């Protein structure tokens, strides 16, 4: 069973963070990913994401279940980028992709869907057509 997008109850520090904080962190990580240029930065970022999974008390089995559906895409993108941009850029592109997917999965694994929807509705309130 793939646990992508399924809330897993828990009492970890990550579980207790407000949904808005988690979503803001995810947005900032996505925006900050444009500054990742070197493979060592990818390694540091993926290590940090792995540590967040540990803090959330989620097993490596859960972590791998989030990445497993991406392998075909990672393979195709990897071949393309190695041929076009070289191995270092390939590591950066694929590492950022995997890291952001893992972060998004961490948010959905540690936050109730209703809490996420509540934040999105509140934040998008000013966009409401009168």
């Amino acid at each position: 069973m793939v646990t992508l997008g399924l809330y897993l109850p828990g009492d970890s520090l990550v579980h207790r963070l407000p949904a808005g904080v988690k979503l803001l962190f995810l947005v900032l990580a996505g925006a900050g990913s444009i500054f990742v240029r070197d493979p060592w930065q990818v390694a540091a970022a993926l290590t940090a994401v792995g540590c967040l999974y540990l803090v959330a008390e989620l097993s490596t089995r859960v972590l791998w279940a989030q990445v497993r559906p991406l392998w075909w895409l990672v393979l195709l993108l990897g071949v393309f980028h190695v041929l076009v941009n070289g191995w270092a850029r390939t590591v950066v592109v694929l590492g950022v992709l995997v890291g952001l997917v893992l972060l998004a999965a961490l948010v959905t694994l540690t936050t109730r869907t209703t809490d996420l929807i509540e934040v999105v509705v509140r934040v998008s309130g000013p966009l409401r057509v009168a």
Side-chain angles (χ1 to χ4, degrees):
M1 177 172 126
V2 175
T3 58
L4 186 62
L6 297 177
Y7 172 68
L8 297 176
D11 192 38
S12 72
L13 174 64
V14 178
H15 282 85
R16 292 190 307 265
L17 284 173
V21 171
K22 294 180 209 179
L23 287 174
L24 178 62
F25 181 75
L26 181 58
V27 167
L28 292 175
S33 70
I34 65 171
F35 300 109
V36 176
R37 299 274 183 237
D38 297 313
W40 70 265
Q41 294 170 314
V42 171
L46 289 175
T47 300
V49 171
C51 289
L52 287 173
Y53 270 76
L54 290 175
V55 170
E57 299 172 0
L58 297 173
S59 69
T60 54
R61 192 179 111 256
V62 171
L63 184 144
W64 285 114
Q66 308 314 307
V67 178
R68 191 174 305 122
L70 289 179
W71 284 118
W72 65 270
L73 180 64
V74 167
L75 179 65
L76 290 173
L77 282 176
V79 169
F80 171 77
H81 276 283
V82 164
L83 293 173
V84 174
N85 295 318
W87 73 269
R89 184 67 185 154
T90 301
V91 169
V92 170
V93 169
L94 297 180
V96 166
L97 173 69
V98 169
L100 289 175
V101 166
L102 285 172
L103 279 177
L106 182 63
V107 170
T108 60
L109 289 167
T110 61
T111 313
R112 288 182 178 83
T113 304
T114 53
D115 295 339
L116 292 171
I117 291 171
E118 182 181 307
V119 170
V120 171
V121 168
R122 186 177 55 231
V123 169
S124 61
L127 302 174
R128 187 175 293 137
V129 176

